[in-house]
Amino acid sequence: MPILSHSKPWQKSACPEEIIGKGIKSPFYHPEAEWPLIIYTVSLQSAAGTLIWGLLWLSFWRIESEAFYMVTFVLGVVGILGATRHLASPLRAPRAILNWRSSRLSRENILTSVFLGLVLLAGGVDLLPLIIDQEMTILPLAGNAIRILAGLTGVTLVGAMSMIYLVPTRPVWNHCDTLFSFYTGAFQIGWAISAAIMVVRSPLLEQGTIVLIAAGLVLLTLLRLKVVSIVIDRLSGLNLYQDQPCSWLNNGIRRTRIILALAGGIAAPLTGAIVAFLPWTIGGTITQWIWILAVLFLIIGEGTDRWVFYKASPAVIFPPRF
């Protein structure tokens, strides 16, 4: 079980520039090694969140479900293709699932495969009546069971991804905020993507529905940026969130990530909610593009945040034993 640190965990770890400045290079610290992991984690988080919120929308509004399954599956495939670049030999990728009893990475890979398989199966069950042109009594029950199982697998997958980074050898990652960030990122981007699908596929949504969707994304963005959690942290006196001493993190990259999150998670949905009250001939297309831009801003922002996440934590360099 990982040992989570709850009070200033980064004080045990040196910053990247300190390590490089001393002429010490971590064997796990490669400037180009993060991009495959960024693509994989952000894509799979987005896929899981899209399916979870998409299933919620389908239970309240009559929308074509194929779009949710298609976007979820495409995001998952993009993540897997990106992850192959992280392997020394992509042809040996199947071996990554053999150590499922002891390896968190193997369990993550298995959950990814199961998740995408269930997404395909759920989409096939929904399309089957259209293909055979007749209704089957058992299909709705089977479809509901598969959708619930797929949603639960997606939630478990996001947790499995975050658990890989909860290791004592990387104190900056070994923090409750890692688990929090993975889940809030998945729910935030998933909400935005599923909302964009709804707005694009159902252009005649009521203005009240669009306002509700916008409000939900604003709340999730505040959670993702840790605004709510930091306020609770300060009021409770736990002091889990402190500014890391790595000076290079306090530069334009961090500010860019915050600007992208504010643009995609607050400015865009609020603007879309306002524009939705204009006549359809004017506001309909604009609203659709606003939500598409919101998704792009949030994905780029999450990728930037993940890049900072990987750069901020080289492995701990232990002194040699004599």
Side-chain angles (χ1 to χ4, degrees):
M1 294 294 292
I3 302 176
L4 295 180
S5 54
H6 296 282
S7 179
K8 301 181 181 180
W10 39 80
Q11 291 185 350
K12 304 175 185 178
S13 176
C15 297
E17 70 268 23
E18 294 175 358
I19 292 176
I20 296 173
K22 295 179 180 178
I24 304 174
K25 292 185 178 179
S26 164
F28 300 99
Y29 185 71
H30 304 288
E32 298 180 359
E34 292 85 0
W35 289 110
L37 296 178
I38 291 172
I39 295 173
Y40 173 78
T41 55
V42 174
S43 296
L44 265 297
Q45 281 178 264
S46 303
T50 300
L51 180 69
I52 293 168
W53 292 122
L55 296 178
L56 178 66
W57 304 144
L58 292 173
S59 63
F60 287 96
W61 291 280
R62 291 187 176 181
I63 310 171
E64 295 179 0
S65 60
E66 294 80 9
F68 291 104
Y69 297 131
M70 185 182 302
V71 172
T72 299
F73 186 76
V74 169
L75 287 171
V77 171
V78 169
I80 291 177
L81 292 177
T84 57
R85 292 285 300 168
H86 190 64
L87 297 173
S89 176
L91 296 178
R92 298 180 180 179
R95 297 187 179 183
I97 65 174
L98 297 180
N99 297 324
W100 59 272
R101 292 184 178 180
S102 58
S103 172
R104 297 177 186 176
L105 182 62
S106 294
R107 290 193 285 268
E108 177 197 43
N109 293 330
I110 293 173
L111 285 171
T112 300
S113 302
V114 172
F115 173 68
L116 294 182
L118 290 172
V119 170
L120 277 180
L121 188 59
V125 169
D126 284 1
L127 288 175
L128 189 58
L130 300 178
I131 297 175
I132 63 178
D133 197 22
Q134 67 180 23
E135 294 289 338
M136 299 178 65
T137 307
I138 195 174
L139 279 182
L141 296 176
N144 290 333
I146 294 172
R147 284 189 286 269
I148 293 173
L149 187 58
L152 293 176
T153 305
V155 173
T156 308
L157 173 60
V158 175
M161 285 193 292
S162 64
M163 291 297 291
I164 291 178
Y165 302 100
L166 299 180
V167 290
T169 53
R170 297 202 176 192
V172 177
W173 291 353
N174 194 40
H175 190 271
C176 56
D177 184 57
T178 298
L179 188 66
F180 179 83
S181 297
F182 269 78
Y183 271 112
T184 53
F187 292 143
Q188 179 203 34
I189 298 178
W191 182 286
I193 294 176
S194 59
I197 293 173
M198 286 183 59
V199 172
V200 172
R201 302 287 291 185
S202 302
L204 298 180
L205 283 176
E206 297 180 357
Q207 288 90 346
T209 301
I210 296 179
V211 171
L212 179 63
I213 294 173
L217 182 55
V218 170
L219 176 60
L220 288 170
T221 299
L222 294 177
L223 286 173
R224 180 64 187 92
L225 293 177
K226 296 189 281 290
V227 174
V228 176
S229 57
I230 288 176
V231 171
I232 296 175
D233 182 55
R234 293 294 184 269
L235 294 176
S236 64
L238 294 175
N239 295 323
L240 298 179
Y241 299 97
Q242 301 281 348
D243 288 333
Q244 299 185 24
C246 303
S247 59
W248 75 289
L249 291 179
N250 298 320
N251 59 13
I253 296 177
R254 205 172 192 179
R255 289 191 292 270
T256 300
R257 186 270 183 276
I258 295 175
I259 291 173
L260 287 169
L262 294 176
I266 295 181
L270 291 180
T271 304
I274 295 172
V275 172
F277 286 91
L278 298 176
W280 167 247
T281 54
I282 300 176
T285 303
I286 297 177
T287 301
Q288 293 176 354
W289 279 107
I290 286 174
W291 278 98
I292 292 174
L293 288 175
V295 171
L296 293 177
F297 285 149
L298 291 177
I299 290 178
I300 296 174
E302 189 71 17
T304 305
D305 183 80
R306 195 59 43 79
W307 184 84
V308 173
F309 175 79
Y310 288 125
K311 291 288 187 181
S313 180
V316 175
I317 307 299
F318 294 100
R321 296 182 178 179
F322 296 96

